[in-house]
Amino acid sequence: MRNNLKKLAFLTLPLTLAATHVSAADEVNIYSYRQQFLIQPMLDAFTEETGIKTNVVFAKKGLIERLEHEGKNSPADIVLTSDIGPLYDVVAKGLTQAVHSDVLEENIPAHYRDPDAHWFGLTSRTRLIYASKDRVKPGEIETYEDLTDPKWEGRICTRSGKHTYNLSLIGSMIIHHGEAEAEQWLEGLKANLARKPQGNDRAQVKAVKEGVCDLALGNSYYFGKMLTNDKQPEQKEWANAVNLVFPNQEDRGSHMSISGAALTKYAPNKQAAIQLMEFLSQAKAQSMYAEANFEFPIRPGTKRSALLDEYMGDFKQDNVSLQEIAELRATAARMVDKVGFDN
């Protein structure tokens, strides 16, 4: 009961701030789709370095709608997301403003930021194929396109096609192959599923360990989370049951996505918020991201975690514009419905 009350108080914080019009130059208010424990170390380092306090409101969903409802009275300065989809959505709704920063432009490659400077990537990850060590030979699958090979019939697991991670992957397939071929690919993938799409990315790797399927789609950072999970050691067994396949290394490279940030349209602490965005793009915070969440730093030349170096060495990355992928999410969602992928 006490935990529920704390959670309720935390989630109602924005409305309280909006009602009292709290604003101070020495603080930044953050609406975050990223779990607070993941980003808190970087925020603490920012406060220690600058003296600027950070206030975080975390929710799995509904923050964009809340920001829209609050309008000019919103206390939020920054929106943090765990994928390009929500970043694109908050910009498309007119809830952000451009940030013209030499620091951000220098630290963040062009394909990982909005051409109009409304959103910026902070970390990257790839959508891997997790392959059973026991039942899939090394080199037996090498591309996303290979997932439609009839030999994989009844052998593939994935989460919902409508999840933002998969919508981004489908969007990339549309860019590289055109809508008609991408639809055929999705139909072929559906035909090879071992079960109805369900669960999160870790659940797919668990299913491989349990023999439900032999291949699974999942984001790369989950491997590190499972392999180091002392609280749920069974997840270490899941991770040790699979090999990591970085698709399409002989052509375009593996599909990449990001976590990112955007400055809200009516940010009451604009300069402090930009200062935080710049801090998160620099070497110190980028290295902390890599260690804390097993993600790839976006800033070129930043040291990765030892685990990433051991299991995910250099690999070819697809450098297609994430803005283009985000613009195709609605098309991808309609395609999921058309082929009945989640049915």
Side-chain angles (χ1 to χ4, degrees):
M1 180 66 176
R2 181 180 300 174
N3 289 337
N4 289 336
L5 288 174
K6 287 183 178 179
K7 183 176 180 182
L8 179 61
F10 186 61
L11 292 178
T12 56
L13 175 61
L15 297 181
T16 304
L17 289 176
T20 56
H21 302 281
V22 171
S23 176
D26 60 350
E27 68 179 27
V28 179
N29 298 319
I30 302 164
Y31 282 8
S32 178
Y33 284 111
R34 303 220 71 184
Q35 291 175 297
Q36 188 173 8
F37 77 90
L38 295 177
I39 60 173
Q40 196 62 51
M42 284 71 78
L43 300 181
D44 290 343
F46 171 72
T47 299
E48 182 178 357
E49 182 173 305
T50 65
I52 299 173
K53 180 183 177 182
T54 61
N55 307 305
V56 182
V57 173
F58 163 75
K60 290 184 177 180
K61 59 183 179 180
L63 290 177
I64 294 176
E65 291 76 11
R66 179 176 292 183
L67 188 62
E68 189 173 26
H69 174 75
E70 291 169 344
K72 294 181 180 180
N73 292 322
S74 178
D77 298 300
I78 291 177
V79 176
L80 295 179
T81 77
S82 57
D83 190 62
I84 181 60
L87 273 181
Y88 179 80
D89 289 344
V90 73
V91 173
K93 288 180 177 290
L95 300 173
T96 62
Q97 60 179 296
V99 177
H100 300 290
S101 162
D102 292 340
V103 173
L104 292 175
E105 289 183 11
E106 179 180 350
N107 289 338
I108 302 173
H111 58 284
Y112 285 147
R113 49 184 162 87
D114 177 31
D116 296 321
H118 277 255
W119 60 260
F120 297 85
L122 295 176
T123 62
S124 67
R125 67 288 293 265
T126 185
R127 196 122 183 92
L128 294 172
I129 298 173
Y130 288 91
S132 169
K133 286 182 177 178
D134 295 333
R135 301 182 299 278
V136 180
K137 298 176 183 178
E140 193 173 358
I141 184 163
E142 296 183 332
T143 69
Y144 297 111
E145 290 79 3
D146 288 346
L147 292 169
T148 65
D149 190 313
K151 74 177 181 180
W152 302 117
E153 183 178 358
R155 300 175 67 186
I156 300 175
C157 288
T158 183
R159 71 195 307 163
S160 169
K162 284 285 188 71
H163 191 276
T164 184
Y165 298 158
N166 279 337
L167 290 179
S168 293
L169 176 60
I170 296 168
S172 77
M173 297 298 288
I174 294 172
I175 289 173
H176 290 297
H177 294 290
E179 194 168 336
E181 282 192 32
E183 183 176 319
Q184 291 177 357
W185 173 80
L186 193 61
E187 288 175 339
L189 177 58
K190 178 190 176 183
N192 287 341
L193 293 180
R195 62 183 185 185
K196 178 180 177 179
Q198 58 191 264
N200 56 25
D201 280 3
R202 292 192 224 200
Q204 314 315 316
V205 183
K206 177 185 179 185
V208 173
K209 170 65 171 64
E210 294 176 344
V212 175
C213 46
D214 298 335
L215 303 173
L217 283 168
N219 280 358
S220 53
Y221 58 91
Y222 287 112
F223 180 78
K225 287 176 172 292
M226 291 183 290
L227 197 62
T228 60
N229 195 334
D230 293 328
K231 292 183 178 180
Q232 296 176 291
E234 67 275 12
Q235 292 194 10
K236 296 182 180 182
E237 298 179 11
W238 307 347
N240 283 315
V242 297
N243 287 318
L244 308 180
V245 178
F246 295 83
N248 298 83
Q249 292 302 287
E250 299 302 318
D251 47 77
R252 65 182 180 273
S254 298
H255 169 64
M256 305 297 293
S257 192
I258 58 169
S259 70
L263 181 68
T264 64
K265 185 174 183 178
Y266 301 108
N269 307 296
K270 179 177 178 179
Q271 294 309 314
I274 293 174
Q275 194 171 346
L276 173 58
M277 292 173 70
E278 291 176 341
F279 175 84
L280 293 175
S281 78
Q282 297 190 56
K284 181 176 182 178
Q286 288 281 295
S287 295
M288 293 177 73
Y289 265 123
E291 290 292 341
N293 204 34
F294 307 107
E295 295 176 281
F296 304 116
I298 275 184
R299 181 181 180 275
T302 305
K303 183 180 179 180
R304 306 194 311 175
S305 74
L307 184 145
L308 292 184
D309 283 339
E310 180 178 356
Y311 292 95
M312 307 180 198
D314 291 337
F315 65 96
K316 188 175 182 180
Q317 303 180 10
D318 189 352
N319 288 335
V320 67
S321 167
L322 291 186
Q323 178 71 15
E324 293 182 45
I325 287 178
E327 290 171 353
L328 288 168
R329 289 174 69 247
T331 301
R334 288 193 295 271
M335 190 178 291
V336 170
D337 287 337
K338 183 177 180 181
V339 305
F341 187 82
D342 287 344
N343 297 339

